[in-house]
Amino acid sequence: LCLFLSGCSDRATPPCGNADRLSARDEDNGHESEELRYWEMPSGADVVRADNDFGFRLFRELVSEKPDSNIVISSLSVSIALGMTVNGAAGQTFVDMQTTLGLAGYSLEGINECYEAQIDFLTNLDPYVQFDIANSVWCRDGVPFKQPFLDACYGHFDAQARNLNFSLPDASDTMNAWVADQTNNKITEIVPEHIDPLTMIILLNAIYFNGAWAHPFATEFTQDGGFRLPDGTIRTCRMMCRPDTGNCYTHLTSSKFNALDMAYGDSLFSMTVFLPKGGHSTESVVADFNNTNWGTWMSGFTPWYGAMQLPRFEVEYSLRMDDVLAAMGMEIIFEPAFADFTRMCTYFSDFYIQAVRHKTYIRVDEVGTEAAAVTEVEGGPTSIPPQFYVTKPFVFVIRENQRNTILFIGQITNPGYFTD
């Protein structure tokens, strides 16, 4: 994820419908330190629930907008990047960001400590799976940012602040080289070539996942197969097959879907595939994604024996997230007249988030899964089927299995014809 934050010298005109909304700059901020100090301390489980709930809400929004498209996001990447940014927010901006991230009422110190612990836990969980999280903060040369904000980004998110002349022709190349290095060159560009002159700071989060299946597919069984697209068209794809899964996987069935869970490495990470039943779509399945159902589902998987088929797929996905985040409750952060980032920088009269960009990459084949994400912030039960054949649009989730943290979530409506 990449966030661009900008500063202006003149106050903008309030957008229509927000004329009565107060900016924290126009109020007495004398109680700001108290408001950030006395709230309840969250636990690691609280942050996982908040991250997952944020991811479910974000994914539901995206699927409802484009139910027939391939969509892959890392809500964890988005949450971490915005979690860094919260350290610069004040007043109503701070409250709105907290609320949208599902962390309302918790102290900023506690939130930071939980993000720090979560990053440490996930990146050191399974020695047989590579999972890396990296953060960076890029400051325009000559702009004075507040040291407590920079210290929080470094101390809790390991995001070192780097000064850079954004006007140089190779400024974006420098930041994109960092992105490429953190994602094993799976994502090589997210910062645009020409950086807006108003952009004063860019926050980046990168996530990289590379996990081999605990039970890999035999390549000799891979064959061409049919996949039904949302419009009913049958397209040929490369279908990975297991004639007999043995005791490799676990299974869950509900009124809307059958699900199969496939482990990576030492079984501490896995991919869960949700295949809609007849009469249901991926959109109707995703509509039920929430923390309550998620907890029930994750405790309901049982051993499964049978034949299965899963298409190979390789997907690149990109999204500018301003509108969806605004719809989820963060509208204020994009409004120059109302956004309050005075805990980040007071050099400009207006400081606001100019853009939030997200890019993902995922490849699934016989060996395992390689996935990457970058976020930028600028200024009843039924019988278990004997076969699990994924021959129509499906939803997948890549998660860790101790706390059930969601790393990636996606909808595949067209796997394409993906070969070597």
Side-chain angles (χ1 to χ4, degrees):
L1 192 74
C2 183
L3 289 90
F4 296 79
L5 285 96
S6 300
C8 306
S9 58
D10 298 314
R11 267 181 105 74
T13 302
C16 181
N18 292 296
D20 59 343
R21 192 165 195 168
L22 292 177
S23 167
R25 280 195 222 81
D26 299 327
E27 300 172 331
D28 178 12
N29 283 327
H31 301 292
E32 178 186 348
S33 60
E34 181 182 353
E35 103 182 350
L36 300 179
R37 185 174 63 244
Y38 78 86
W39 288 343
E40 183 182 352
M41 294 286 284
S43 67
D46 292 327
V47 172
V48 170
R49 282 193 296 269
D51 281 354
N52 287 353
D53 180 66
F54 173 74
F56 292 143
R57 288 182 288 124
L58 175 60
F59 191 56
R60 287 198 303 266
E61 287 275 349
L62 297 175
V63 170
S64 66
E65 290 177 3
K66 295 187 176 181
D68 296 341
S69 299
N70 288 340
I71 298 171
V72 180
I73 63 168
S74 172
S75 54
L76 180 65
S77 172
V78 179
S79 176
I80 290 174
L82 292 172
M84 278 197 297
T85 312
V86 166
N87 284 277
Q92 191 62 44
T93 302
F94 175 82
V95 172
D96 284 4
M97 293 190 74
Q98 257 196 325
T99 302
T100 304
L101 288 171
L103 297 168
Y106 292 126
S107 72
L108 181 59
E109 178 186 1
I111 292 171
N112 283 334
E113 290 177 355
C114 283
Y115 271 120
E116 180 182 357
Q118 182 186 48
I119 291 169
D120 183 66
F121 170 75
L122 291 172
T123 54
N124 293 285
L125 182 60
D126 190 336
Y128 300 103
V129 171
Q130 182 180 355
F131 185 63
D132 300 323
I133 300 173
N135 299 295
S136 62
V137 177
W138 303 81
C139 305
R140 183 183 285 273
D141 261 347
V143 178
F145 288 91
K146 288 192 170 182
Q147 196 61 44
F149 164 73
L150 300 177
D151 289 346
C153 290
Y154 179 69
H156 298 290
F157 298 87
D158 197 26
Q160 186 169 357
R162 312 176 191 197
N163 291 320
L164 184 64
N165 184 347
F166 290 177
S167 300
L168 293 176
D170 63 348
S172 61
D173 293 340
T174 299
M175 288 179 276
N176 286 327
W178 181 90
V179 168
D181 186 56
Q182 303 302 324
T183 62
N184 195 31
N185 288 309
K186 298 307 171 188
I187 299 174
T188 58
E189 182 181 342
I190 192 168
V191 181
E193 179 180 359
H194 300 291
I195 301 173
D196 192 307
L198 295 179
T199 299
M200 300 300 153
I201 188 170
I202 295 175
L203 291 84
L204 291 167
N205 167 269
I207 284 180
Y208 179 73
F209 177 92
N210 195 342
W213 298 120
H215 305 282
F217 292 82
T219 55
E220 58 264 32
F221 291 126
T222 300
Q223 59 191 13
D224 284 358
F227 190 94
R228 186 181 296 275
L229 304 185
D231 64 4
T233 304
I234 303 295
R235 291 285 178 85
T236 302
C237 68
R238 293 296 287 167
M239 193 70 74
M240 304 182 295
C241 305
R242 291 188 68 97
D244 181 5
T245 61
N247 192 23
C248 296
Y249 305 135
T250 57
H251 181 271
L252 173 74
T253 189
S254 79
S255 60
K256 287 187 177 182
F257 62 80
N258 287 302
L260 204 65
D261 196 66
M262 302 177 290
Y264 299 102
D266 204 22
S267 299
L268 296 173
F269 293 93
S270 67
M271 173 185 283
T272 309
V273 176
F274 295 83
L275 185 64
K277 289 183 175 179
H280 295 281
S281 64
T282 53
E283 185 178 8
S284 68
V285 170
V286 171
D288 288 345
F289 276 39
N290 57 56
N291 270 336
T292 300
N293 288 338
W294 184 250
T296 301
W297 296 340
M298 293 304 103
S299 63
F301 280 85
T302 57
W304 181 79
Y305 303 83
M308 69 92 64
Q309 295 181 356
L310 178 70
R312 279 182 171 188
F313 61 92
E314 185 176 36
V315 173
E316 296 181 29
Y317 179 75
S318 62
L319 170 72
R320 181 157 173 170
M321 303 186 67
D322 308 15
D323 290 343
V324 67
L325 289 175
M328 291 174 66
M330 284 196 193
E331 182 181 10
I332 195 172
I333 69 176
F334 302 104
E335 300 175 356
F338 299 103
D340 186 349
F341 287 99
T342 50
R343 296 180 59 244
M344 182 185 296
C345 179
T346 54
Y347 189 70
F348 294 92
S349 60
D350 291 303
F351 209 72
Y352 68 101
I353 292 182
Q354 185 183 35
V356 179
R357 293 187 174 94
H358 187 55
K359 278 193 175 183
T360 53
Y361 167 89
I362 186 167
R363 168 189 169 124
V364 174
D365 59 21
E366 291 85 353
V367 175
T369 299
E370 186 176 24
V374 177
T375 305
E376 174 192 33
V377 179
E378 184 179 340
T382 58
S383 60
I384 297 176
Q387 296 94 20
F388 191 90
Y389 291 169
V390 183
T391 57
K392 60 182 180 180
F394 62 96
V395 175
F396 73 87
V397 174
I398 297 176
R399 61 189 175 93
E400 59 84 16
N401 293 319
Q402 291 191 13
R403 300 176 179 175
N404 281 320
T405 307
I406 294 172
L407 313 180
F408 293 85
I409 184 169
Q411 168 184 272
I412 303 298
T413 60
N414 185 352
Y417 192 84
F418 166 45
T419 62
D420 295 333

